[in-house]
């Protein structure tokens, strides 16, 4: 058989009530390995988190292999045809095979922007060997982006999959073992356990084939964390190389201002003190240049809202989040300064020891008893309940792509550039 180095990308095979593209990718990798091919790298590639067509976390997969590309493609087509939930209107699978990795531009557009199927087909026609689409074939976007992907920063996820005959039963997991796993391996793993809510966050609740997923900084860290977990026996597992937790989706806000469906990092000043609205959502206006941007911390971000409430007008911050319905949905922010808030008030009259009152607009203060005047107010300062530094949403409300503080976050430099534009690209 003709042996070559190749990449195969797959996307859009699942539906809300079942299946998962990573499960299908794992089955494909196992079958190709059994046929004598070599798996060099299995990538779980998260794409723009705001895409409305997504089923859950907008993930696509790519397998980098050595073997027979034509056979791998025909096997992938067969697996997708038999397992994808084609009856679901929103499931439109795509499969792409390429011998050489195409340029990464299409990946960066798919992770941070909005792509069309035609754009994916343009890349495929120029660089790829085989492709197949089912129904609308929207999955060609994710499948192409996955094989174009470059990870200047990367993390790993150990995905354990359920035995097929247990899919309709409740997942059997020992909660405390997830707590222990995170305690013993943090910060090399993260987002296993939600400390505030007191439950695992890495176990799905739906009928999809994933039993749990452990995220961490190396394949060793995630595998070690799994050794502490007690659960029903997984049917199979795969350690995926991923762009999760890398902030790859963030771009700088340029020109006219934010666009719908794009995730930004924006530096600016808090224009007015945050307010808590209906449903417990907390909002404030950010002033950046001449633009005023509504920023929101929604109710599911729980304690993060307390940090947002502690901001004051005038604070200089860097915010990160997706712009949807003319609102920046906060994922994380950096507070540069937390200066005490000046609280001017009328001074005491030095003779009468009584508080003076305003003498009128810009006229200072006047003692109503002896008529003595004072130009300047007395100054008190409100102590801040927040310190300069990073603040993030809890694990349960975190975007897959958002870099958790557990990974370490340096204070932003003067440029505040997103990852794909930084010269020192994070390792
Ligand atoms: P799955 O497990 O099937 O991958 P999911 O939650 O990851 O589930 P999909 O079902 O793949 O979501 O749906 C996402 C769809 O959006 C796919 O067809 C994918 O090709 C497409 N898509 C992904 N990123 C973009 C983008 N930036 N612009 C336009 N379409 C995109």
């Amino acid at each position: 058989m003709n042996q070559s180095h190749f990449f195969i990308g797959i996307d859009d095979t699942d539906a809300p009530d079942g299946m998962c593209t990573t499960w299908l990718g794992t089955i494909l990798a196992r079958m190709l390995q059994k046929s004598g091919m070599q798996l060099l790298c299995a990538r779980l590639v998260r794409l723009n988190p705001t895409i409305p067509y997504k089923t859950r976390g907008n993930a696509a997969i790519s397998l980098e292999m050595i073997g027979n590309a034509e056979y791998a493609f025909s096997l992938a087509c067969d697996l997708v045809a038999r397992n994808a939930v084609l009856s679901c209107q929103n499931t439109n699978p795509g499969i792409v095979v390429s011998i050489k990795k195409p340029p990464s531009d299409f990946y960066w557009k798919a992770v941070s922007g909005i792509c069309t199927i035609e754009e994916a087909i343009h890349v495929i026609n120029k660089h790829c060997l085989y492709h197949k689409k089912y129904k609308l074939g929207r999955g060609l976007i994710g499948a192409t982006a996955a094989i174009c992907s470059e990870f200047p920063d990367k993390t790993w996820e150990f995905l354990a999959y359920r035995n097929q005959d247990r899919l309709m039963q409740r997942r059997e997991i020992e909660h405390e073992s997830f707590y222990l796993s995170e305690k013993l391996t943090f910060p090399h793993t993260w987002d296993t356990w939600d400390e505030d809510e007191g439950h695992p966050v890495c176990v799905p609740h739906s009928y999809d084939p994933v039993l749990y997923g452990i995220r961490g900084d190396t394949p060793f860290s995630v595998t070690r964390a799994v050794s502490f977990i007690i659960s029903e026996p997984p049917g199979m597992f795969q350690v995926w190389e991923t762009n999760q937790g890398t902030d790859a989706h963030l771009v700088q806000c340029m020109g006219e201002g934010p666009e719908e469906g794009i995730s930004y990092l924006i530096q600016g000043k808090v224009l007015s003190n945050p307010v808590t609205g209906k449903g417990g959502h907390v909002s404030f206006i950010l002033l950046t240049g001449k633009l005023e941007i509504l920023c929101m911390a929604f109710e599911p971000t729980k304690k993060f809202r307390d940090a947002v409430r502690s901001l004051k007008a005038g604070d200089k911050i860097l915010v990160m989040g997706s712009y949807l319905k003319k609102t920046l949905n906060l994922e994380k922010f950096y507070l540069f300064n937390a200066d005490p808030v000046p609280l001017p008030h009328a001074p005491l009259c030095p003779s009468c020891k009584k508080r003076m009152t305003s003498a009128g607009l810009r006229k200072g203060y006047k003692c109503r008893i002896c008529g003595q005047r004072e130009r300047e107010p007395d100054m008190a300062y409100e102590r801040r309940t927040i310190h300069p530094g990073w603040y993030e949403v809890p694990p349960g409300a975190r975007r897959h792509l958002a870099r958790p503080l557990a990974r370490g976050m340096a204070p932003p430099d003067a440029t505040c550039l997103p990852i794909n534009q930084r010269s020192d690209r994070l390792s």
Side-chain angles (χ1 to χ4, degrees), residues 114-320:
I114 294 157
C115 305
T116 62
I117 302 174
E118 291 68 36
E119 285 172 314
I121 291 175
H122 180 74
V123 175
I124 292 167
N125 288 341
K126 212 163 161 196
H127 300 282
C128 303
L129 190 58
Y130 308 115
H131 75 278
K132 181 152 175 81
K133 62 174 195 162
Y134 299 78
K135 297 162 62 187
L136 293 178
R138 189 179 290 116
L140 288 177
I141 297 173
T144 308
I147 62 170
C148 295
S149 64
E150 68 165 356
F151 293 172
D153 182 23
K154 66 184 169 200
T155 64
W156 302 82
E157 181 158 6
F158 185 118
L159 274 172
Y161 300 97
R162 306 190 74 190
N163 266 309
Q164 284 300 91
D165 53 2
R166 299 185 69 101
L167 285 185
M168 293 298 148
Q169 295 168 34
R170 268 190 59 194
R171 287 175 178 78
E172 278 178 35
I173 56 160
E174 212 166 272
H175 279 219
E176 296 69 30
S177 69
F178 287 84
Y179 171 76
L180 190 70
S181 173
E182 172 138 328
K183 274 272 162 290
L184 294 174
T185 58
F186 184 88
H188 298 291
T189 68
W190 52 84
D191 291 0
T192 301
W193 183 263
D194 189 323
E195 193 70 45
D196 296 330
E197 299 292 304
H199 65 66
V201 271
C202 62
V203 180
H205 301 291
S206 56
Y207 290 119
D208 78 64
V210 172
L211 180 57
Y212 56 79
I214 302 292
R215 294 168 182 197
D217 56 11
T218 61
F220 170 75
S221 307
V222 293
T223 309
R224 179 165 176 267
V226 166
S227 70
F228 301 110
I229 285 174
I230 302 169
S231 73
E232 64 184 51
M236 62 175 185
F237 69 87
Q238 178 65 49
V239 179
W240 295 92
E241 182 181 275
T242 95
N243 59 350
Q244 291 170 167
T246 64
D247 280 344
H249 59 315
L250 301 176
V251 298
Q252 265 185 324
C253 185
M254 309 282 241
E256 295 294 288
E259 285 171 40
E260 277 297 307
I262 308 294
S263 305
Y264 291 100
L265 36 77
I266 309 174
Q267 200 177 314
K269 266 200 172 149
V270 177
L271 194 60
S272 54
N273 289 348
V275 287
T276 304
K278 223 172 136 194
H281 313 309
V282 180
S283 65
F284 65 89
I285 306 285
L286 181 83
L287 180 69
T288 177
K290 286 184 179 152
L291 284 173
E292 292 184 11
I293 298 171
L294 176 65
C295 298
M296 295 277 271
F298 287 96
E299 191 281 330
T301 64
K302 305 288 177 198
K303 270 168 112 176
F304 174 67
R305 292 171 302 160
D306 294 339
V308 177
R309 281 190 198 100
S310 307
L311 293 171
K312 295 284 180 204
D315 282 346
K316 185 180 161 199
I317 59 172
L318 175 73
V319 296
M320 298 177 175

